Structures are given as structure tokens and as C-alpha cells.
Amino acid sequence: GNIIGSGIFISPKGVLEHAGSVGLALIIWVLGGGITVLGSLCYAELGVTIPKSGGDYSYVTEIFGGLVGFLLLWSAVLIMYPTSLAVISLTFSNYVLQPVFPDCIAPYNASRILSTVCILFLTWVNCSSVRWATRIQDVFTAGKLLALGLIITVGLVQICKGNYKWLEPQAAFDFWKTPSVGEIALAFLQGSFAFSGWNFLNYVTEELVDPRRNLPRAIFISIPLVTFVYTFTNIAYFTAMSPEELLSSNAVAVTFGQKLLGAMSWIMPISVALSTFGGINGYLFTSSRLCFSGAREGHMPSLLAMIHFKTRTPIPALLVCCTATIVIMFIGETYTLINYLSFINYLCYGVTIAGLLVLRWRKPTLFRPIKVNLLIPVTYLIFWAFLLIFSLYSEPVVCGIGLIIILTGVPVYFLGVYWKNKPKCLDKFIGK
């Protein structure tokens, strides 16, 4: 439920743009799923070896200490969650406005205003009632399933009718540009956005029933299934659209519906809007877990872990996330935001999986209910290094700014966490 969201409706354009051909784009989707499987296997071992909620943050803090854990938490609160929310909310507004502006991209102000209204409304819902938030999540999950199921079914019908020109090997690998290694790395980053959320179950390990059995089981079922759905959704897109049509579309699923569903094409933008609306709600809901874990370790102000005594909701944490999302949304463009997010996400994933190797070396006798072959984390880290180095080479400004934002957490850590003997007036001010 956390993985399938806005990514599959927005990332195909970014992957294809950097890949330079239909065939390479499809290969990147399959390989992206395979790399996600390797990462999730490592997280399964960490999740049952260090059974704490908080995911990456808890593992990195346990293995590398407070500073590295705080920087991961800092980047998540400042960038990862707000940027994910910004991208999903912009996708929501683009799909809602597509029927109003069928022949052009929706105006900048219109999409931002609608996205802001959506964020503010769902923040209010999450602040008002946990029950309302969970009911919204249950109802709107059906939207994403309807949209993807419909796309795949219509695509299979098209293939049966012989409409698969762009999937034939000769056409699929007809490159309109020769992608550099850096471009391929950026294509993987765009695709990885659609797979983001695969590690979210590790954020609530303490709330799982029998995590040693159910955490790996959920991973083994979900990742191959999502990879299958994503690959066939992209195949379906190319049964109806040429690469040029897909690249020129600002809402791929809507264009697909207009070409193949006729009078029923209105189903597609509504389904995608429902999917992204539920995705925004899910991200707002889960962000409070990270704030809780950070406050428990003393790495965040206790205010952000406070629960309202009447509504039983984490209002301060939700308001911080809402504000950061709106700021990021107004200063970034969708695909640039995805590059920011994916680069920092992969940086955090790599550090966490490197922690698995460090933990194996430091505590070889520690009880591990799940123990993966060392080739799995090593293979993941080799791919991780390739992706980050060439992404940094291809988009030095975007990746450099992401690194700078992470490093701004260093002085904050030493002033706010490491410095214990603060003046009483400062402690009193922070307390107020």
C-alpha cells in the first residue's frame, strides 16, 4: 500500500526520457525491482536483529552512533517526507486539472494552489482524528488498484489485438539518443521513486505481530508483485502511446485513458487522483512514527512527539511536515524534486545497508533470526556506489544541494543534542 502510489503514474516519463528507448526503459523497471529486492532482504535481517520502530534511523543510530543517525533523521524530516508529499500532491493536482487543460500543462499557480489546499485539508483531517485518517486510507486504496488493474487489462487486450509495435525488439531498442552512464543512473533514480516505501514496514516493527515471521514474509510477497505490476503497466502504456506521445504527456495515465477508453476515459484521472490523495494521507500519517523515534532518542524536540490530549493525534509533527511540504512545493519542479528525493533516499539506504556489514563485523555472535548471504549487501552497495557517483556527475547541482542540506544538520546536532550543559535560560526557552 505504501509503495504503490503516485510514482507509477509520474515516473514512466522520467525513466523514458533518460533511458532513450522503450526497451531500456522496461529493463530499468525490472532491474529497479530486483535491486529493491536485494535492499529489502538486508532490511529484513536488520529489522529482526534490531527490532525497533523507526527503520533506517533506528538501525543507523544503533550501529554508527548519534551523529549519523541524527543526519539521517534531519534529512528525512527536512527533505524525504516533505519532498515525497510535494511530488505526490503535485501529481494529484496535475491529474485533477488535466481534463480542464486537455491541450496544455496546467498553469503553475493553479497546480500549486490545488496541491496546497489538498495538503492543508489532509493535515486537518490527521490532526482531528486518527479514525478519519485511517478510514480515508482504506477507501482511497481502491483508487490505485482500480487504475492499475484497468491499465494492465486494457494493455493486454491491445496486445491480443496486435497493437504492440513499440514493444517489438527492433522498435523497442531504436534509440533516439544514446544515453550516457550518467543518464542511465538518473533513469534508475526516477524509477526508484516509484518503488519508494518498500522500507516503511521497518518503521513500525514494534507494532507488528511476530515480526520475525511476518516482516520477511511481507517483503517476499510485496516486492516481486509490485515489480510485476509496474513492468506490465509500462508495457500497457506503450500499446497505446508512442515514446514521443508519452514524453509530451503531463499525465500519462490520463492520455492512455483518452486514447483507449473513449467515453469512459474520465475513470482514469479520477482513479489516479484517488490514489494520490490516499498516498498523501498515508505519508502524513506515517511521518509521526519517525518523529516519535527521534524524540525517544533525544534527537528531536519533545514537542514533536506530543499527542493532543483530546484528539490523540501528533498535531505539532503534522504541522511541521505540512509547512515543510508547502515550502518545498513552491520552490521545486516535479522531476527535479524526484532527483533530490531519490538521491538522498539512496544515500540513506546505502548507509543503512553498510551498517549491516559493520554489525556483522562488530558482533558476529549476535542472534540473527534471518541472515542473508554477504553477496546480497555487497552487490547492493556496488550498485549504490555506481548510482550515486554517476548521478552526482550528471546532476552535480541537484545532488550537491542535497548533500549540503544533509550536512546542515551537523551544527544543529552539536548545538541541540551533543551540548548537554546548556544555559538555564536556553533550556527554559526551548521548554516553553
Side-chain angles (χ1 to χ4, degrees):
N2 273 311
I3 300 172
I4 299 176
S6 67
I8 189 56
F9 302 115
I10 194 171
S11 292
K13 180 177 176 179
V15 173
L16 183 64
E17 185 177 1
H18 290 295
S21 78
V22 173
L24 183 56
L26 292 175
I27 289 172
I28 286 171
W29 281 104
V30 175
L31 289 178
I35 294 299
T36 303
V37 169
L38 296 181
S40 60
L41 288 172
C42 298
Y43 271 66
E45 176 177 328
L46 286 168
V48 295
T49 306
I50 306 173
K52 289 183 178 180
S53 291
D56 314 59
Y57 164 70
S58 295
Y59 310 147
V60 167
T61 303
E62 180 90 10
I63 297 166
F64 294 113
L67 176 59
V68 180
F70 178 82
L71 292 179
L72 193 148
L73 179 68
W74 177 258
S75 62
V77 172
L78 274 189
I79 300 178
M80 291 197 295
Y81 270 114
T83 303
S84 295
L85 280 162
V87 171
I88 299 171
S89 60
L90 287 172
T91 307
F92 167 80
S93 62
N94 284 336
Y95 273 91
V96 171
L97 294 172
Q98 177 74 10
V100 183
F101 302 96
D103 301 320
C104 64
I105 296 174
Y108 177 92
N109 288 337
S111 65
R112 262 57 182 185
I113 290 170
L114 182 57
S115 298
T116 302
V117 170
C118 176
I119 290 287
L120 290 172
F121 172 73
L122 284 174
T123 301
W124 172 76
V125 169
N126 277 269
C127 288
S128 301
S129 171
V130 172
R131 180 173 293 178
W132 290 2
T134 53
R135 290 281 170 83
I136 285 177
Q137 194 66 13
D138 292 341
V139 171
F140 284 85
T141 294
K144 70 185 77 176
L145 300 176
L146 172 63
L148 292 175
L150 185 60
I151 289 170
I152 293 172
T153 302
V154 173
L156 291 175
V157 171
Q158 285 289 100
I159 291 173
C160 292
K161 290 181 178 179
N163 298 325
Y164 47 82
K165 172 187 173 183
W166 296 105
L167 299 174
E168 294 177 346
Q170 186 174 358
F173 290 96
D174 181 16
F175 288 86
W176 60 85
K177 71 171 182 179
T178 303
S180 63
V181 178
E183 289 280 336
I184 294 173
L186 290 175
F188 270 107
L189 281 185
Q190 290 283 333
S192 73
F193 173 71
F195 286 97
S196 61
W198 57 267
N199 60 328
F200 276 17
L201 199 60
N202 292 69
Y203 279 70
V204 291
T205 304
E206 294 173 28
E207 298 170 57
L208 289 177
V209 176
D210 194 2
R212 290 177 179 174
R213 184 186 65 176
N214 290 326
L215 179 61
R217 178 183 291 177
I219 289 169
F220 297 150
I221 293 171
S222 63
I223 307 299
L225 181 61
V226 170
T227 304
F228 173 86
V229 169
Y230 281 2
T231 304
F232 274 85
T233 300
N234 278 274
I235 289 172
Y237 286 150
F238 291 116
T239 65
M241 289 179 280
S242 67
E244 292 78 15
E245 287 176 314
L246 193 148
L247 290 174
S248 64
S249 172
N250 196 46
V252 178
V254 170
T255 305
F256 177 87
Q258 289 171 345
K259 291 180 73 72
L260 294 183
L261 297 180
M264 300 297 290
S265 61
W266 56 269
I267 292 176
M268 201 52 65
I270 290 177
S271 297
V272 178
L274 293 176
S275 173
T276 50
F277 192 81
I280 297 166
N281 182 70
Y283 265 85
L284 283 169
F285 190 84
T286 55
S287 62
S288 59
R289 262 63 173 189
L290 198 57
C291 290
F292 165 78
S293 296
R296 183 169 62 179
E297 295 289 339
H299 286 171
M300 294 188 75
S302 57
L303 173 67
L304 296 183
M306 288 186 179
I307 308 299
H308 192 273
F309 73 99
K310 286 185 179 178
T311 62
R312 309 291 195 271
T313 55
I315 291 178
L318 287 163
L319 292 178
V320 167
C321 195
C322 172
T323 304
T325 300
I326 293 172
V327 170
I328 286 176
M329 190 165 55
F330 275 90
I331 63 174
E333 188 270 332
T334 304
Y335 290 99
T336 305
L337 287 176
I338 290 176
N339 283 342
Y340 270 121
L341 174 65
S342 300
F343 177 80
I344 294 171
N345 260 343
Y346 259 98
L347 192 61
C348 294
Y349 296 158
V351 171
T352 305
I353 291 173
L356 185 148
L357 297 177
V358 172
L359 193 65
R360 287 273 191 99
W361 173 63
R362 285 183 184 170
K363 299 181 178 180
T365 59
L366 185 67
F367 175 63
R368 294 172 172 85
I370 298 173
K371 192 173 183 178
V372 300
N373 190 296
L374 281 178
L375 281 175
I376 292 175
V378 169
T379 303
Y380 185 92
L381 288 173
I382 291 171
F383 175 81
W384 171 79
F386 151 78
L387 203 63
L388 291 191
I389 290 169
F390 284 103
S391 299
L392 194 59
Y393 174 78
S394 299
E395 289 278 4
V397 175
V398 171
C399 299
I401 291 173
L403 286 171
I404 290 170
I405 293 172
I406 293 173
L407 293 176
T408 57
V410 174
V412 176
Y413 173 79
F414 281 104
L415 289 173
V417 180
Y418 187 79
W419 184 20
K420 300 295 184 184
N421 299 319
K422 299 182 184 69
K424 289 185 178 180
C425 59
L426 184 59
D427 280 331
K428 191 175 181 181
F429 173 76
I430 294 172
K432 286 185 178 180

